[in-house]
C-alpha cells in the first residue's frame, strides 16, 4: 500500500516481476513445424509477449506467453540465423497499445525495452552433423563421421549412440570424439569405448554435445521440439558388418595387386 505525504490519498502499488531464460541452442521447430527457438518464462502469472531481437534491437521473432512455462518463438527468416540474440519479456499490463503492432523486422522501441520485466541473451547455433551408412568386415571398433558444424564456434563433442539397443528413445553411448574447436569438422574417426566393438549390423546415431570440463562430454546441444527441448543436432546411419570385405594389399601368392585394385578377404573358411 502507498500513500501521499499527508495521507490524503492511499492506494495499492502492484510490482510486476517475471523472468525469461534464453538458453544456448540450435534452431528447432514449433508445434506447427516452423523454425523456432525456445524460451522459458517463470514467476509471472499474466499474459505477455516474448520478443527475440538481434543485438541492435531488430525483431527476429515474437512469441506469446499465456502461462505455459516454455514459449516457442517462430523465427521468420531462419536462413543465416546464428549468433547472439536477446529475449525480452514484456507484459500486456504495461502495453500502451503498441505491442500487437510489432512485426518481424521492426525495431523494438526503447520504451518497450524499458518495460521488459526480464531480458536474457542466448547463442543460436548454425549446426549439423552427417554420418553415412558404412560397412566393415568382420567387425569394427570405430566409425566415421563425415562432417560436423557448430557456428559460431564453440567447443563440442561428437557422440555416437547405439540405436539398435533400444526400441524407442536414445540408445547408449558407444563412443565419442575428442573436443572439436573449429566451426566445421570433416572426416572424424570415432573410436568406440574401451571393450566396445560392432560385430553385427547396427543402427547408430551421431549427436553433437557441449564439451565439459572433467568429463568426456556434456549435455546434448538442444533445439526446440514443439514446447520442449530435444537433442537438436543428430544424424542416423547403419553400420553394416559383413563376413567379407575388400582391402588393398597382398594377394595369397605374395604378389602385389595392381594399383587401385582390391582383394576380397573372407573371415571364414574359403
Amino acid at each position: 500500500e502507498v500513500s501521499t505525504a499527508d495521507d490524503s490519498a492511499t492506494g495499492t502499488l502492484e510490482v510486476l516481476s517475471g523472468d525469461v531464460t534464453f538458453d544456448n541452442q540450435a534452431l528447432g521447430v514449433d508445434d506447427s513445424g516452423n523454425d523456432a527457438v525456445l524460451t522459458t518464462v517463470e514467476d509471472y502469472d499474466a499474459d505477455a509477449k516474448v520478443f527475440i531481437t538481434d543485438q541492435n534491437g531488430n525483431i527476429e521473432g515474437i512469441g506469446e506467453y499465456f502461462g505455459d512455462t516454455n514459449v516457442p518463438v517462430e523465427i521468420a527468416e531462419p536462413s543465416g540465423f546464428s549468433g547472439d540474440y536477446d529475449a525480452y519479456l514484456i507484459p500486456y499490463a504495461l502495453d500502451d497499445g503498441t505491442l500487437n503492432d510489432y512485426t518481424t523486422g521492426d525495431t523494438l522501441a526503447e520504451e518497450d525495452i524499458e518495460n521488459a520485466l526480464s531480458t536474457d541473451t542466448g547463442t543460436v547455433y548454425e549446426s549439423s552433423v552427417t554420418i553415412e551408412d558404412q560397412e566393415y568386415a568382420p567387425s569394427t571398433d570405430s566409425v566415421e563421421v563425415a562432417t560436423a558444424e557448430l557456428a559460431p564456434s564453440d567447443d563440442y563433442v561428437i557422440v555416437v549412440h547405439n540405436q539398435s539397443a533400444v526400441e524407442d528413445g536414445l540408445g547408449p553411448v558407444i563412443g565419442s570424439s575428442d573436443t572439436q574447436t573449429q566451426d566445421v569438422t570433416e572426416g572424424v574417426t570415432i573410436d568406440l569405448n574401451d571393450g566396445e566393438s560392432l560385430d553385427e549390423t547396427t543402427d547408430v546415431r551421431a549427436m553433437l554435445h557441449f564439451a565439459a570440463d572433467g568429463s568426456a562430454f556434456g549435455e546434448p546441444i538442444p533445439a526446440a521440439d514443439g514446447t520442449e527441448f530435444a537433442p537438436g543436432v543428430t544424424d542416423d546411419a547403419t553400420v553394416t558388418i559383413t563376413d567379407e570385405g575388400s582391402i588393398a594389399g597382398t594377394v595369397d601368392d605374395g604378389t602385389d595387386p595392381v594399383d587401385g585394385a582390391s582383394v576380397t578377404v573372407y573371415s571364414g573358411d574359403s
Side-chain angles (χ1 to χ4, degrees), residues 156-158 176-181 188-190 216:
Y156 66 97
V157 176
I158 308 169
S176 59
S177 71
D178 295 332
T179 298
Q180 308 296 304
T181 57
V188 182
T189 299
I190 309 292

Side-chain angles (χ1 to χ4, degrees), residues 1-3 10-18 43-47 91-95 115 117:
E1 184 176 283
V2 295
S3 62
T10 62
T12 300
L13 176 66
E14 181 182 6
V15 178
L16 302 179
S17 64
D43 301 325
Y44 188 63
D45 58 3
D47 296 345
Y92 280 107
L94 299 178
D95 181 20
N115 284 337
L117 300 181

Side-chain angles (χ1 to χ4, degrees), residues 62-122:
I62 304 171
E64 295 282 355
Y65 171 72
F66 297 125
D68 294 328
T69 299
N70 292 340
V71 182
V73 181
E74 179 184 353
I75 301 303
E77 298 292 339
S79 178
F81 185 77
S82 66
D84 292 337
Y85 295 89
D86 296 322
Y88 294 89
L89 176 64
I90 303 178
Y92 280 107
L94 299 178
D95 181 20
D96 61 0
T98 63
L99 284 187
N100 284 326
D101 293 336
Y102 283 116
T103 61
T104 54
D106 291 343
T107 300
L108 201 58
E110 189 63 35
E111 60 198 78
D112 288 319
I113 291 176
E114 292 174 355
N115 284 337
L117 300 181
S118 174
T119 66
D120 195 21
T121 300

